[in-house]
Structures are given as structure tokens and as C-alpha cells.
Amino acid sequence: MSGFGLFCFDSSAGGPDGKKESSCFAPMMCEDGSSEVADNSKRLKLKHGAIMKILVVGDTGVGKSAVANSFVNIQNKRPPSTPRKSDASKAQVPKVDFLHANVERQGYKLHVIFHDFAGADAHPDEFPAELEPYVTAAVGAIVVTDATAFKSSSLKKWKDLIDRLNPVPTVLVTNKCDLVDQEFLNEHNFDEQMDAFCREQGILKWSATSAATSEGVNKIFYYLLDRVVDMYS
């Protein structure tokens, strides 16, 4: 194991712990009462209005919902939303929240649906059965971690779980970068370690982001969407 401060690059597999929030519960219904049906048999048909489903996964408390909401609010020209607080009583219940954004990339007008998972980290070895259809329906994935308490073992677990069911283009987001001392990161070559980690794990790209300030959010989300468009064009 190599590590520094709160940042831990661990070669061994490990399971996360903690709590996470979400507003959609089984059965998989959206806040407006409509249901999101994952159809594994259909792959993305790239055309105007195509629906692009993207996974958003990570440990409880890393801010994955806040990051996804930050991007969606920007695309939908809405003011920043207040991050939801974790509910300890519901942290172990698998659930998914659906976030929608209309995005134009490379001349295509796309409808992006983010599958924001919660409760999945209570099952360290596999995605809960009720979440699997939403993994297999996705065409890309965003793994979110906390820049103030980075654990590579947890990120490896999420990447392995995705690859086991549906190996799709994946990017890594290190959220809460506004809470980290950049000078400290530079002194410990954090960027170089992250680059090497992503190469080893088959992660396309990583980016430091802040859901609170929206720093870096658009850039990494657009990068993933462009890679998916490249695959299907």
C-alpha cells in the first residue's frame, strides 16, 4: 500500500462503508411518479433525441448526487440545488434516482438520463439484483470519490462491479476539490498517481470537481458523453 495524508492507494480489494441519500425507492419510480424501465435488449441508436443512460456510482457521502445535479442544473439552466443529506435509516436500501438533462454534443441533441445509485455500497461483492437492469442498460459510467478521503480500493471495487455486468466507458470524478489544499496535492504528486491509477484500471479520464462551485463538472461529463458518441457514430 502507498498513501499520504487522507489519500490511500491500496492494491488490495476493499469495501466501503457509510450512508447515502436518494429520493427514488423500489419500485423504481421517479419523483414525478413515472417509471424508468431499463431495457437491456436495446443499445444506443445515435440520432437526434437519442436517450443516453449513464451510471453514477460511488461510496456513500462522496457527493455523487450533488455532482450529477450540478451538471443537470447547468444544462437545464436551473439555479444550484441544495445537496440532500444522507438518511441513516435508508442508507442500506438499494435505490436509484433518475436525473434528466438535454445535451447537445457533436451535432447530436441527446436526452441524458443519469442512474444515480444509492444503497449499493451495502453490497460489496455485487450490485443488488434490483439495480442490475440499470447497469446493463447504461452506455457509460461515472465513478465518484471524495477528494478529501480518497481510497483506491473502493474505486477498484466499483470499476470491477461495472465491468462484470456491462463494461462501458468510465470516468472518475474526485469531488470536493474545493476542500483540498492544492499545494499539498502537488507536493505529493497526486495528479501523477491518479493518472497511473486510471491507466491501470482502464478508466478513460479523471477530473477534480466541486459540486458546490461546479468547478470541473461540465468538462468531465462532456468528455464521457463525447466518448460515447464516438463509439456509436
Side-chain angles (χ1 to χ4, degrees):
M1 177 191 301
S2 62
F4 51 86
L6 291 176
F7 302 94
C8 179
F9 289 85
D10 191 344
S11 59
S12 62
D17 55 13
K19 301 173 281 292
K20 178 65 180 77
E21 75 285 354
S22 181
S23 61
C24 288
F25 297 83
M28 303 302 183
M29 304 296 289
C30 294
E31 293 177 0
D32 63 1
S34 61
S35 62
E36 291 286 353
V37 180
D39 185 350
N40 314 2
S41 64
K42 294 181 181 178
R43 305 307 297 167
L44 177 66
K45 294 181 179 179
L46 196 57
K47 60 182 180 180
H48 286 301
I51 295 175
M52 185 180 289
K53 298 178 181 180
I54 304 293
L55 294 177
V56 183
V57 300
D59 291 356
T60 294
V62 298
K64 55 185 178 288
S65 295
V67 169
N69 269 300
S70 178
F71 178 78
V72 168
N73 288 337
I74 293 170
Q75 304 309 308
N76 296 336
K77 297 180 173 60
R78 294 199 300 250
S81 55
T82 302
R84 293 165 298 175
K85 295 183 179 180
S86 299
D87 186 336
S89 66
K90 299 174 181 175
Q92 307 303 311
V93 180
K95 45 192 174 285
V96 59
D97 199 2
F98 304 101
L99 306 174
H100 298 251
N102 293 314
V103 183
E104 184 167 349
R105 303 306 298 166
Q106 301 186 39
Y108 291 98
K109 294 181 179 179
L110 307 170
H111 184 73
V112 183
I113 305 175
F114 295 99
H115 294 175
D116 176 16
F117 284 3
D121 48 358
H123 303 259
D125 298 322
E126 61 184 4
F127 280 112
E130 56 265 52
L131 298 185
E132 286 189 4
Y134 300 93
V135 179
T136 56
V139 294
I142 299 168
V143 180
V144 183
T145 188
D146 185 340
T148 67
F150 178 87
K151 292 190 298 183
S152 65
S153 59
S154 176
L155 297 178
K156 290 177 183 177
K157 183 208 78 167
W158 288 114
K159 183 63 164 60
D160 288 345
L161 289 179
I162 293 168
D163 287 349
R164 197 180 305 167
L165 282 178
N166 184 17
V168 292
T170 302
V171 297
L172 171 61
V173 167
T174 57
N175 189 34
K176 307 182 185 179
C177 69
D178 54 311
L179 304 180
V180 179
D181 182 355
Q182 189 60 48
E183 185 175 341
F184 174 82
L185 297 183
N186 293 338
E187 289 176 357
H188 292 85
N189 301 314
F190 183 69
D191 287 5
E192 289 80 0
Q193 292 197 57
M194 287 296 297
D195 289 342
F197 174 80
C198 288
R199 285 194 298 271
E200 292 170 1
Q201 300 302 313
I203 295 172
L204 296 178
K205 191 180 182 68
W206 75 278
S207 178
T209 69
S210 167
T213 66
S214 297
E215 177 183 349
V217 173
N218 266 6
K219 186 175 181 180
I220 189 66
F221 276 60
Y222 283 156
Y223 176 87
L224 176 62
L225 297 179
D226 283 342
R227 299 293 72 76
V228 175
V229 169
D230 290 342
M231 284 181 61
Y232 289 94
S233 60

